[in-house]
Each structure stands twice: as C-alpha cells, then as structure tokens.
Amino acid sequence: MAFPYAFRLAARSILYEKWINLLSILTIAAGLLFIAITALSVYNIDVTTKRLPEKFSVMLYLRDNLSGKELENIINTVRKDDTVKRVKYISRDEAMKELKTTLKDTKYVLDGLGENPLPDSIEVKLKDEAVSPDTVKRLTAKLREIKGVDEIEYGEKFLSSIYSLKVGMNTIGIVFVIIMSAGMIFVCYSTVKILFYRKSEEIETYKLLGATKGFIRAPFIIEGAVMGFIGGLLSLIGILSLYYTVIFRLSYTIPLFKTIIFPINISLYLPLAGLFLGMTGAVIAIGRIRY
Amino acid sequence: MIHFHDVSKHYDNQTALRKITFSIDKGEMVFVTGLSGSGKTTLLKLIYLAEKPDEGNISVAEWEIDKLEESSIPLLRRHIGVVFQDFRLLNNRNVFDNVALALRIRGVNEKELKTRVFDSLKIVNLRHRADSYPHALSGGEQQRVAIARAIVSDPTIILADEPTGNVDPDTSAGIIRTFKDINARGATILIATHDRALFKNTGRRVLRLDSGNLTGEEIG
C-alpha cells in the first residue's frame, strides 16, 4: 500500500469536500472542549477531596473525671483500629487555651463562664484512604461503644456532601464523556459515510483495478484522523484561551479562581483524543468492504 | 491461461450464459463476438470476477475462480488489464493520474510510475493529453486512455470490452495494431466486439456467442 498516495488522496478529499469536513472539525472541537471543561471540573473536585484527609479528624469527647488508666485504655483501643493514623489527647485546659487563641479579641465572651465547661477530648486522625463516609461511620460506631467516650463529632454532613459531590461529578463526568465521545464518533462516522457513498463509483473502479481493502480504506481513515486531530487542536486552543482569558485574569479580581488547578499537560492529549475518535468513526463508517 | 468448463450465469430468470466451455492458451489473442445481449460482457466479467458463475468451473492463470478467497481477488485482478465498455475513468483525475492509478494500486514507486505512464500514453498516442481531464476528451480518446490504463501494468491477460466502440475506422485499426503489439510481447488478449471488421483477416480465433450460447468458433 502506497501510504504517501493515501495521504494525498485524503488531503485532496479534505480540500474538495471542505465544508462538510469543516463542519465536522468544528463539532469535534466543540465536543472535545466540553469534555475538557468537564474533566477539569472533575479533576478539581477530585484534588479537593484528596486534600480532605489532611484536615479531617474525628473528635472523641470524654466523660469527666476519668482515671489515668481508663484514659490509657481508651487511647490504646482507638489506636488498635487499622484506619487510625494518629491519636492526640487534648485536655480540657488545652482546649480552653486553644479556644481563647481562636477567639482572640472576643475572648471576653468566655469571662462569665466561671469553671471551664469544656470536656477532655481525643483527636483521631485517619489514614488518607480511610476518609470516606462509610469507613468513618463504621469507626465512629465502634468508638462510641468504648466506655468513657461521651460524644463523637466529625462533621458528618460535610463529609457525606463532599463525597456525594465527588461521586456525582465522577459519574456525570464519565457519562458525559461517553456520550460526547459517542457523538463525535458519530459525526466522523456520518461524514466519512457520506464521502464514502459519494465516491462509491470511484471505489468500485479501484476494486476492479485490483485495489486491496487497505488501499481503499486508508485515505478515509486518514481523513477521519485528520478531522479529529484538527478538531482536537482547536479544542486545545479553546481550553488554553479559556484558561488565560478567564481563569488567569479573573483570579486577580476573584481570588476563588486561584484555587482552580489547570493540568495543562493533560490538555495536550486533546488532539490525540480527537485523532482516535476520528479514526474510530471512519473505521466504523467504511465497515466491511466486499469484492 | 483461461479455461471455462460448463459455465452458466443467470440474472433473475434470464440466462446470460449457458454451459460455456472453451480454453484460451497463454499468449493467444482471441475475439469473442455476438450481438448486443449475447453475453460477451458477462463472459469478460466472469474472468475478472466482477460476477461469479452460477454453475461450472473457471480457471484463470493459476487461480481456480470457485476456490478463490475474497482476499485473493485483488491479486487476480492485478494480473488482468481490463478495458471497460464504459471506460470507468475518474472524472476528477487527469489522464496521467487515471493511467497511473493502476500502478499506484500495485504500489509502484513514483519515479518508475512516471516513465511507465508516459510510455503507455505514447503507445495510444495520447502523451500530449496527459494533463487533460476525461470530460475534455472525445469518446475515442477516452477509450484510448482506458487502453493505456489496462496495459500500463504489463498484465499477463488483457480483456477489452468493445474497445473500438467509439472510434473511427482508422483509430480502430490503430487500436487493434496496439493489441497485436502487446500480444506479441506475450500477453494473452481477449477482445469482445460486435464489429466483424475488427477481426476480419486477423488470422485469430473468434468465439461466437448467441443468446448466451457458444455457437461456434472460426478463424478471423
């Protein structure tokens, strides 16, 4: 198979059928741009939830007047759990000191309290992989059974909502990427199918002159790949423009935008993704060639 | 080189060829003649496998047609140069590219291709029209382009379906001379024509078809 000739045929077809090809390229570019934006959102949520374990802790508030041995027993029992990374005892006095530091100038609100009302507590840090609603629920249920533990607090609602958001975004992201990819494959499929039908007389002549299936298929697959690749390049330009004009500039005025992470190296794969989708559409469109 | 044994071909309820048996040896130049609809084109199509026989056996060169796998069909066709009745030229390619297509399909490099295409065009006296597109050519010129494309790859077999259908007697005689020259170089040639003048006094075998039956053989 003379590949340079197949490239020439593909280039010729792209130029001759420029409007239908341009339409496909723009559709692919838009589709890949949407995919990139979705991936960016999913990625940012993922990064945020991955940082969560560093800050997450379960607080065990203890009964008053525990003996040293009882306290040691509680700490040892907590430590034995596989999911626990670190255990820190915070006495009521330390807790009050910390509270006063936090309140700073408004610490006068504590003046009328008289005796320190805060309980002794234990801060439990979990292993990163253990910070999920199910694991934490199981652990807290177990810790609640320990004699001397009065109350447990860990921001249950916050944890479940952030994880629901993560799971939800992941699911939506995957479904969206699948639908958009299928859509782009269909666009390439339709374009190549139309071109294939338009050239059916020509293809018939190729066959009668002894062309192999590869010779017939190659220009169409190249055309699909080029369409996808150019579409991917345009979407890359789109996402870079979006980054520089919107996120980069807006972060000066709206600090929230500074928290958005933009993995630029992943975006570089967009043209390759386009190429793959274009080729897939073309291969399906040509189907089985019969003599 | 080409053997038909009891070959029949039907289209719906019509019989295009009925129990045809004949052989053409390597290096022969044979004519097949008959009225329109006698089965000449079908007979040629069976050789280059544009159609498959309903009954009987066909062998072409080393291939048994009924045992041929689909992937081998292009290989068979590369041994055969066909001058189609409707020429089958690509209107969006110039004469050079139309002729070159037969070589590009065979993977011939561009340098060699150029020489061979111009040599073929010279044989059919169309070198000066290499850059023209088919729609700018007369019927006779288009036919000669089709002949150039059929011979450019030096095939072992050449099939020509009414190769002089659109040309004047002088050009017609020229085309037959061209086929004779190619035949003299060893190619086996089968020409389908209704024009008796074409094979008259050629001294070549002529197969006569009538309503799908092979009714006889004569020397032209």
Side-chain angles (χ1 to χ4, degrees):
Chain A
M1 167 72 213
F3 267 106
Y5 187 62
F7 276 101
R8 266 170 60 190
L9 284 182
R12 180 193 179 96
S13 176
I14 289 169
L15 293 175
Y16 269 59
E17 310 280 356
K18 50 184 173 292
W19 295 115
I20 187 171
N21 280 314
L22 184 68
L23 195 66
S24 305
I25 287 168
L26 292 177
T27 315
I28 293 165
L32 282 174
L33 185 63
F34 282 126
I35 285 184
I37 293 169
T38 311
L40 193 64
S41 313
V42 171
Y43 179 77
N44 272 276
I45 290 169
D46 203 50
V47 169
T48 312
T49 50
K50 269 186 186 147
R51 279 181 190 161
L52 194 66
E54 299 162 19
K55 308 209 169 161
F56 183 81
S57 58
V58 177
M59 292 304 294
L60 272 61
Y61 297 108
L62 306 175
R63 187 157 49 82
D64 286 343
N65 305 319
L66 286 176
S67 68
K69 200 169 179 192
E70 282 175 312
L71 183 65
E72 206 183 311
N73 271 341
I74 294 172
I75 292 174
N76 285 339
T77 316
V78 175
R79 266 199 192 123
K80 268 183 204 160
D81 195 281
D82 291 343
T83 57
V84 173
K85 184 160 81 178
R86 208 168 53 239
V87 176
K88 186 186 170 193
Y89 170 71
I90 303 166
S91 71
R92 57 201 304 181
D93 296 335
E94 279 175 73
M96 178 53 84
K97 215 167 135 185
E98 208 173 300
L99 183 62
K100 280 180 178 169
T101 320
T102 315
L103 290 174
K104 282 183 192 168
D105 299 341
T106 52
K107 65 183 176 189
Y108 58 84
V109 297
L110 304 171
D111 287 352
L113 288 175
E115 203 189 330
N116 180 0
L118 300 175
D120 291 328
S121 57
I122 293 173
E123 187 189 36
V124 182
K125 286 272 181 197
L126 303 184
K127 287 177 184 163
D128 289 358
E129 65 276 13
V131 182
S132 74
D134 288 346
T135 321
V136 176
K137 218 171 209 170
R138 185 198 56 75
L139 177 71
T140 51
K142 192 177 150 193
L143 297 179
R144 234 176 230 122
E145 300 297 313
I146 303 171
K147 211 176 155 190
V149 175
D150 227 11
E151 209 185 320
I152 292 179
E153 202 182 274
Y154 64 93
E156 189 178 0
K157 277 189 181 163
F158 172 72
L159 187 66
S160 10
S161 29
I162 198 91
Y163 271 87
S164 302
L165 184 68
K166 181 187 174 178
V167 172
M169 277 307 284
N170 277 346
T171 313
I172 292 170
I174 289 168
V175 170
F176 185 76
V177 168
I178 290 172
I179 292 172
M180 290 302 285
S181 304
M184 282 180 285
I185 289 173
F186 183 72
V187 168
C188 287
Y189 164 87
S190 312
T191 309
V192 173
K193 197 89 186 164
I194 290 168
L195 298 178
F196 198 74
Y197 274 123
R198 261 192 215 176
K199 292 176 187 168
S200 54
E201 269 293 302
E202 194 172 318
I203 290 164
E204 204 46 44
T205 304
Y206 288 178
K207 286 185 200 169
L208 292 173
L209 293 179
T212 57
K213 291 177 184 179
F215 184 93
I216 296 165
R217 279 196 184 110
F220 291 99
I221 295 174
I222 293 169
E223 194 167 348
V226 170
M227 271 193 292
F229 187 79
I230 297 174
L233 268 184
L234 291 179
S235 72
L236 176 63
I237 293 168
I239 196 88
L240 289 179
S241 314
L242 191 76
Y243 174 65
Y244 284 110
T245 57
V246 181
I247 300 170
F248 195 69
R249 286 192 179 184
L250 275 182
S251 62
Y252 285 111
T253 45
I254 308 166
L256 179 71
F257 281 102
K258 271 188 187 159
T259 58
I260 295 174
I261 303 162
F262 189 84
I264 205 155
N265 50 336
I266 294 176
S267 309
L268 296 176
Y269 288 105
L270 283 172
L272 289 180
L275 183 139
F276 173 74
L277 294 173
M279 277 177 80
T280 308
V283 168
I284 300 171
I286 301 163
R288 202 171 134 66
I289 292 172
R290 288 181 179 279
Y291 287 100
Chain B
M1 185 58 101
I2 301 170
H3 303 280
F4 274 52
H5 183 73
D6 277 345
V7 175
S8 297
K9 176 71 188 171
H10 313 282
Y11 293 111
D12 299 323
N13 294 325
Q14 265 194 311
T15 301
L17 291 174
R18 186 179 292 117
K19 297 217 172 276
I20 301 286
T21 300
F22 71 90
S23 285
I24 296 173
D25 291 335
K26 191 178 175 195
E28 260 196 292
M29 180 167 155
V30 177
F31 291 87
V32 55
T33 189
L35 299 172
S36 277
S38 59
K40 302 187 293 292
T41 300
T42 305
L43 188 141
L44 296 191
K45 280 182 173 176
L46 289 171
I47 298 172
Y48 61 87
L49 257 180
E51 299 285 357
K52 284 183 179 167
D54 294 319
E55 291 160 43
N57 301 313
I58 302 172
S59 69
V60 178
E62 71 262 39
W63 288 283
E64 293 283 337
I65 295 290
D66 52 332
K67 290 177 191 154
L68 200 66
E69 287 184 17
E70 203 190 24
S71 57
S72 301
I73 294 175
L75 299 177
L76 164 77
R77 288 180 180 166
R78 286 178 190 193
H79 277 75
I80 304 172
V82 185
V83 182
F84 302 98
Q85 194 170 16
D86 57 356
F87 317 140
R88 282 200 166 273
L89 299 179
L90 306 179
N91 289 322
N92 56 358
R93 315 280 167 89
N94 63 22
V95 166
F96 181 92
D97 282 333
N98 263 289
V99 176
L101 183 62
L103 296 178
R104 286 183 171 132
I105 281 171
R106 288 160 176 81
V108 174
N109 70 61
E110 289 294 313
K111 198 178 163 192
E112 188 189 338
L113 178 144
K114 210 171 174 178
T115 317
R116 287 172 70 175
V117 170
F118 281 123
D119 285 350
S120 288
L121 287 175
K122 201 173 161 190
I123 291 172
V124 295
N125 283 325
L126 277 178
R127 207 187 149 138
H128 61 291
R129 303 299 308 258
D131 293 329
S132 304
Y133 282 81
H135 59 80
L137 304 177
S138 68
E141 284 174 323
Q142 288 186 25
Q143 202 143 31
R144 278 145 64 199
V145 176
I147 293 169
R149 188 180 61 189
I151 63 174
V152 72
S153 56
D154 272 334
T156 47
I157 298 168
I158 291 174
L159 307 174
D161 197 355
E162 301 286 1
T164 56
N166 290 286
V167 293
D168 56 76
D170 282 349
T171 314
S172 179
I175 286 171
I176 290 303
R177 263 200 311 277
T178 305
F179 280 129
K180 277 182 181 168
D181 289 346
I182 297 161
N183 175 240
R185 281 187 250 149
T188 307
I189 299 178
L190 179 59
I191 300 169
T193 180
H194 67 278
D195 182 6
R196 298 189 65 83
L198 210 63
F199 50 80
K200 206 175 165 189
N201 300 323
T202 55
R204 311 282 178 160
R205 275 169 71 207
V206 181
L207 307 173
R208 252 193 342 262
L209 276 177
D210 185 12
S211 305
N213 297 298
L214 189 60
T215 53
E217 198 179 310
E218 62 189 87
I219 300 294

